Amino acid sequence: MTYCAAWKYMESVYILGDTLITKSSQPNTKISSFGQLHDKVRGEYVEESLLKIVPIAPDIVVAFAGDVDLATALIEFLKENLYKTETFERLFDSVNVSLGPFSKDRQVELLLAHSSVNRKTILIKWDTVHGFDDTKSDYYQIGSLTSYHAALTPMALSIFANGNLPQDRILAMLTSVVQSYGVHDNLIDQNIGGIIFGLFVHNGNITWQEDTNFILYDPDIKIVNFISAFVRDNVLIVNSSFTNSTLALAHSSSIISTQAWLNTWISFIRDHLNSDKYKYWVFLGKAGRVITVLRRDVFDSENKYFSLKYLGDGKFDLGLSPEMMALLKQPLRDRGDGSLPFRFNFRNA
């Protein structure tokens, strides 16, 4: 399975998801970009290896959970037949006619998000067992999270939404919260893991989460791990000090040619991975769920929170100001509602 969530907010539709897949063959790598062990779960193997958020048109995105091969066939059908029907409902009806009936042993859940140029938003949940979700909710979650952890995304979203946040901040803030729970809980037992990333659809356009650098730190802030993530042309690039390697994660339905993509971006990627030019810096405490997000709008001047110097060979020297050190060591905040406690800090750097 997997984890994906989608919701409507301020004339946009947002989607975020993990990058883990379940398969019968042994994984090619031992750990994920966040240091999670690629273990055997209920007789099958798990591995961080696929981006399951798939743009299929300039203003339409599909995310999925479940059987990868069947999901890919469904997405390809939707992409090829988008403009042959008048409504998305009829489009999914044609899915049933052309590709059904579906086996319960290969269940797939889909989320479809659309925002037109007149800012009309559509969010659809459909699966191979039950068809359409008729609740017409503004929030959906698919995949294999237990109910306890499944509540964290809508809970965090409600907190952020009450603050009337700018649209371009929502993704980095919410993915940082979800990512922090993967750091502390072995979500791989629920077939969920790897990096959490997302996008939003607004006014006829798709916008991926901006370049984000995750930093995991121990209680004394002496041992840190860096995970850099950014999307170019629907491909998610993830570089991790846990693995000392770089992943390129994408779905086949959203890229035309792997070689053409490499020719366009390989030089940029090499330079970008060794730079500090990331819009968001997400600090995640390893000992407790202290989440600190810094947003940088100016890259050519120093900020008062941290400094980063590239030492070569993929290594960096991180300097933190006293103010930043104090933020990172704050105690958790128990909201008193039975939810998982965490502390969230946001600053403009």
Side-chain angles (χ1 to χ4, degrees):
M1 292 295 284
T2 185
Y3 163 80
C4 288
W7 65 98
K8 294 182 181 180
Y9 177 71
M10 293 178 63
E11 300 177 335
S12 299
V13 189
Y14 292 77
I15 297 182
L16 60 84
D18 77 333
T19 47
L20 202 75
I21 66 167
T22 304
K23 59 182 186 177
S24 58
S25 59
Q26 291 195 10
N28 297 310
T29 56
K30 292 183 178 180
I31 58 174
S32 76
S33 56
F34 277 80
Q36 301 156 314
L37 180 65
H38 287 152
D39 210 349
K40 199 170 187 179
V41 179
R42 288 175 291 280
E44 294 186 292
Y45 296 97
V46 294
E47 184 174 18
E48 178 184 32
S49 59
L50 182 63
L51 185 61
K52 288 163 285 188
I53 302 174
V54 188
I56 60 172
D59 56 357
I60 302 172
V61 177
V62 176
F64 70 90
D67 186 276
V68 174
D69 291 338
L70 179 56
T72 299
L74 292 167
I75 291 169
E76 284 292 339
F77 182 90
L78 293 174
K79 183 178 178 181
E80 293 171 4
N81 294 275
L82 267 178
Y83 305 109
K84 296 179 182 179
T85 55
E86 296 178 357
T87 66
F88 289 116
E89 286 77 8
R90 290 188 179 180
L91 177 61
F92 278 101
D93 287 341
S94 65
V95 168
N96 287 319
V97 172
S98 299
L99 301 181
F102 301 104
S103 168
K104 290 186 177 180
D105 296 331
R106 299 181 66 199
Q107 184 176 355
V108 171
E109 296 175 282
L110 298 180
L111 296 172
L112 184 145
H114 167 62
S115 176
S116 63
V117 290
N118 61 8
R119 301 186 181 181
K120 178 184 178 182
T121 58
I122 292 173
L123 176 57
I124 291 172
K125 179 180 180 293
W126 179 92
D127 68 69
T128 52
V129 176
H130 305 100
F132 282 103
D133 185 300
D134 294 326
T135 61
K136 297 183 179 179
S137 174
D138 286 342
Y139 176 84
Y140 288 117
Q141 191 163 276
I142 59 175
S144 48
L145 268 185
T146 61
S147 58
Y148 185 58
H149 289 93
L152 74 92
T153 309
M155 179 269 292
L157 181 61
S158 66
I159 294 171
F160 296 152
N162 288 336
N164 294 318
L165 291 170
Q167 292 188 85
D168 59 352
R169 295 186 184 183
I170 285 283
L171 275 173
M173 295 172 71
L174 192 58
T175 55
S176 69
V177 173
V178 179
Q179 194 77 65
S180 74
Y181 286 89
V183 170
H184 295 282
D185 300 322
N186 189 25
L187 295 184
I188 277 186
D189 282 344
Q190 300 176 46
N191 300 77
I192 297 164
I195 191 167
I196 309 293
F197 223 68
L199 55 73
F200 68 94
V201 193
H202 174 74
N203 197 25
N205 294 292
I206 294 169
T207 303
W208 282 96
Q209 179 175 327
E210 295 187 85
D211 299 1
T212 305
N213 214 330
F214 297 88
I215 298 175
L216 277 60
Y217 62 92
D218 70 326
D220 296 324
I221 318 183
K222 291 183 178 179
I223 301 175
V224 298
N225 294 99
F226 297 89
I227 303 97
S228 304
F230 52 92
V231 172
R232 296 296 184 272
D233 287 344
N234 299 329
V235 179
L236 174 60
I237 305 302
V238 186
N239 180 264
S240 170
S241 65
F242 279 109
T243 61
N244 292 317
S245 64
T246 302
L247 285 174
L249 304 174
H251 192 276
S252 57
S253 298
S254 61
I255 58 172
I256 298 174
S257 165
T258 302
Q259 189 58 52
W261 182 89
L262 281 170
N263 293 341
T264 301
W265 291 110
I266 190 65
S267 178
F268 169 85
I269 291 169
R270 289 170 180 163
D271 292 338
H272 198 46
L273 290 177
N274 297 331
S275 79
D276 66 348
K277 293 179 171 56
Y278 289 76
K279 176 73 74 173
Y280 286 100
W281 292 73
V282 177
F283 291 78
L284 302 175
K286 294 180 183 179
R289 295 181 180 88
V290 179
I291 305 155
T292 304
V293 178
L294 304 181
R295 176 186 165 97
R296 296 184 68 193
D297 288 310
V298 179
F299 297 130
D300 296 330
S301 61
E302 294 183 357
N303 67 82
K304 65 178 183 179
Y305 294 104
F306 72 92
S307 62
L308 192 72
K309 181 180 179 181
Y310 181 56
L311 301 177
D313 195 28
K315 299 186 182 338
F316 295 87
D317 179 45
L318 178 68
L320 301 173
S321 69
E323 182 178 354
M324 187 64 182
M325 292 283 282
L327 277 176
L328 299 185
K329 292 185 176 183
Q330 286 183 318
L332 300 182
R333 177 181 297 167
D334 190 338
R335 305 188 64 82
D337 56 5
S339 62
L340 294 169
F342 68 92
R343 176 174 287 276
F344 187 89
N345 307 303
F346 182 90
R347 297 291 187 276
N348 287 305

